[in-house]
Amino acid sequence: MKAISRLALPIMLSQLSVAAAGFIDTMMAGHFSSNALAGAAVGSSLCFPFIIALSGVMMAVTPITAQFTGAGRVEEAGRVARQALWVALFFAGLLFVGIRYVDPLLVLMNTTEEVVPIVKGYLEGISYGFPAIACYFVLKSYVEGIGRTQPQMVISLATVPFNYVANDILIYGKFGMPALGGAGCGWASGLTFWFFFLMMLLYAAGSSACRDGKIFSEFNLPSVAGIRELLKLGLPIGGTIFMECSIFACITLFLGVLGPVVVGGHQIALNYSGLVFSIPLSIGMALTIRSGHAIGAADLEGARFSCFTGCLMAMAVSLFTLSFTLIFAESIVAIYTKDPEVSAVAVSLLTFGALYQFSDAIMATSQGALRGYKDATVTFILTFTAYWVITLPLGYTLSMTDLLVPAMGARGFWLSLIAGLSISGVFLGLRLNQVSKRGVADVATLVGCDVQGEGPRQKAA
């Protein structure tokens, strides 16, 4: 528990800081106007699933680096990171171009005329930060993989005041700048992405901990073999994270037809849930590193033990956060907005959001542990089934139709999230048990070869 906590605590503080930036966006846009809040909510729902998916692809660098580090082959991890930078820039370029063609989607969503220009302004501003955040994901994943989680914590904590000042200037129009309202959140986020990248670049270039990997002392052109190695693991991880993130984005887009009050309340509940989710997510990321190091050192029993210890830790914490959310829902919402209509929607949704936190904890830690085993393809299939085969159809039926019950609005989608996340947690927990048990059994088989003169290391080779 100590070892996991040493890795997880800096990651958690980093995740909370990143979530705090989203909280600042939501809070400041909400205090500007309900239209500004709705525009920022729709804009973030359109782009952040792709940003998070990109982070998932680059997350493949962490388990690869962790296993190389555990095996004492750090220079090979540096090679992977250099190839990952090329991949990051390629995907960032695609996203930069694609985000400018959302007009048909906004029409399809029946987005209100007052909100459309806010959404487009938000997306334009944030797009200029895509190359920076993509490269940041690579460097962060490499630094995590070698077992250093404190740098991202320090950088993320420093980013919070930067993001606040940028929002204050651009949303409300200070120091001679025009008041951009909700669109200012996008421009502030783009600037914040560059701050993230430059700070991590300074650390990676100057840190003795990163020197053995020789990330910047060598130059490699894109390699088909290197990129294939990265994408083989990264695409399923990115796809899994995209499945999770996009389901929330789709819900926001479906709710857009119900007006800015419902969207605003939904966004507040979603933002707070993201803050809480950062805790099990951080433990899961720590398990990626911990299990990766153990697997690289051929300690499969230690890897399995660490994984299930981390899962139990996250489940225990989720019982506390669940209770806290139910007790203080009204006080939590009051931090975000003073609008009584938006507050009423948000409080009712937070009650539903609290109920899936236990399942969320199992899902997040199991996913992180499975990444340490480089087990990503089955995870992607299980997540797709839970979210897109079960959650979204059920949520749409409950929220927007009268097929099962009278249309429930936003509450129907949140009820379906409870079902989807619970199923996902069960699926992934069973998969982790299967994969980790198989790893221990394989080692036991290899050890048994010693009596015939062939040791486990030779047999593995």
Side-chain angles (χ1 to χ4, degrees), residues 123-342:
L123 294 175
E124 180 183 3
I126 200 172
S127 67
Y128 289 103
F130 290 161
I133 199 63
C135 292
Y136 165 79
F137 289 144
V138 174
L139 298 180
K140 178 183 77 73
S141 296
Y142 173 80
V143 172
E144 282 179 356
I146 63 175
R148 300 295 191 274
T149 57
Q150 295 87 352
Q152 63 164 295
M153 175 191 71
V154 174
I155 293 170
S156 298
L157 288 173
T159 300
V160 174
F162 179 90
N163 179 257
Y164 178 86
V165 172
N167 270 298
D168 192 43
I169 293 172
L170 295 171
I171 292 175
Y172 296 101
K174 297 184 177 180
F175 302 105
M177 298 294 292
L180 299 177
C185 292
W187 287 94
S189 295
L191 290 173
T192 302
F193 289 167
W194 280 102
F195 184 85
F196 265 121
F197 168 64
L198 293 174
M199 294 288 285
M200 185 58 78
L201 179 63
L202 288 174
Y203 175 81
S207 168
S208 59
C210 299
R211 197 167 296 146
D212 292 340
K214 300 180 180 179
I215 301 180
F216 303 112
S217 60
E218 297 181 15
F219 176 80
N220 300 122
L221 291 171
S223 160
V224 174
I227 292 174
R228 184 190 300 117
E229 175 189 11
L230 179 75
L231 294 182
K232 182 179 179 180
L233 179 61
L235 286 178
I237 295 175
T240 299
I241 294 177
F242 180 79
M243 289 299 104
E244 297 171 0
C245 189
S246 61
I247 195 76
F248 291 99
C250 282
I251 290 172
T252 301
L253 299 180
F254 278 126
L255 293 177
V257 299
L258 301 181
V261 171
V262 173
V263 173
H266 166 76
Q267 185 67 13
I268 288 171
L270 198 57
N271 183 261
Y272 172 77
S273 297
L275 285 169
V276 173
F277 179 65
S278 64
I279 301 174
L281 177 64
S282 302
I283 296 175
M285 295 171 75
L287 294 183
T288 301
I289 301 166
R290 185 78 177 157
S291 60
H293 285 175
I295 292 165
D299 181 13
L300 276 297
E301 288 188 10
R304 176 177 166 84
F305 185 79
S306 292
C307 290
F308 282 99
T309 299
C311 289
L312 289 173
M313 290 170 63
M315 290 161 64
V317 172
S318 71
L319 294 177
F320 170 77
T321 59
L322 185 157
S323 303
F324 180 87
T325 304
L326 291 175
I327 294 170
F328 297 104
E330 292 185 2
S331 300
I332 292 167
V333 172
I335 299 173
Y336 286 90
T337 183
K338 302 300 181 185
D339 188 312
E341 293 182 345
V342 175

Side-chain angles (χ1 to χ4, degrees), residues 71-119:
R73 299 155 58 192
V74 183
E75 283 192 29
E76 294 185 52
R79 171 187 57 79
V80 172
R82 287 191 294 274
Q83 292 300 312
L85 287 170
W86 288 112
V87 177
L89 290 173
F90 173 75
F91 281 117
L94 288 181
L95 187 54
F96 179 87
V97 173
I99 208 69
R100 281 162 166 70
Y101 296 94
V102 296
D103 293 77
L105 186 57
L106 294 176
V107 173
L108 185 65
M109 292 162 47
N110 293 321
T111 307
T112 57
E113 293 183 4
E114 297 83 0
V115 173
V116 168
I118 300 173
V119 174

Side-chain angles (χ1 to χ4, degrees), residues 3-19:
I4 293 170
S5 298
R6 278 196 298 269
L7 291 170
L9 185 59
I11 296 175
M12 184 181 69
L13 292 175
S14 174
Q15 292 294 325
L16 287 172
S17 299
V18 172

Side-chain angles (χ1 to χ4, degrees), residues 385-421:
T385 302
Y387 285 134
W388 289 88
V389 177
I390 298 171
T391 299
L392 191 61
L394 176 62
Y396 186 86
T397 301
L398 293 175
S399 298
M400 314 299 285
T401 75
D402 299 324
L403 290 177
L404 299 179
V405 294
M408 300 177 66
R411 290 181 300 165
F413 275 115
W414 283 72
L415 275 174
S416 72
L417 284 171
I418 296 173
L421 288 168

Side-chain angles (χ1 to χ4, degrees), residues 370-387:
L370 286 166
R371 283 196 295 269
Y373 283 88
K374 294 186 179 178
D375 185 84
T377 303
V378 174
T379 301
F380 170 76
I381 295 170
L382 295 177
T383 304
F384 175 82
T385 302
Y387 285 134

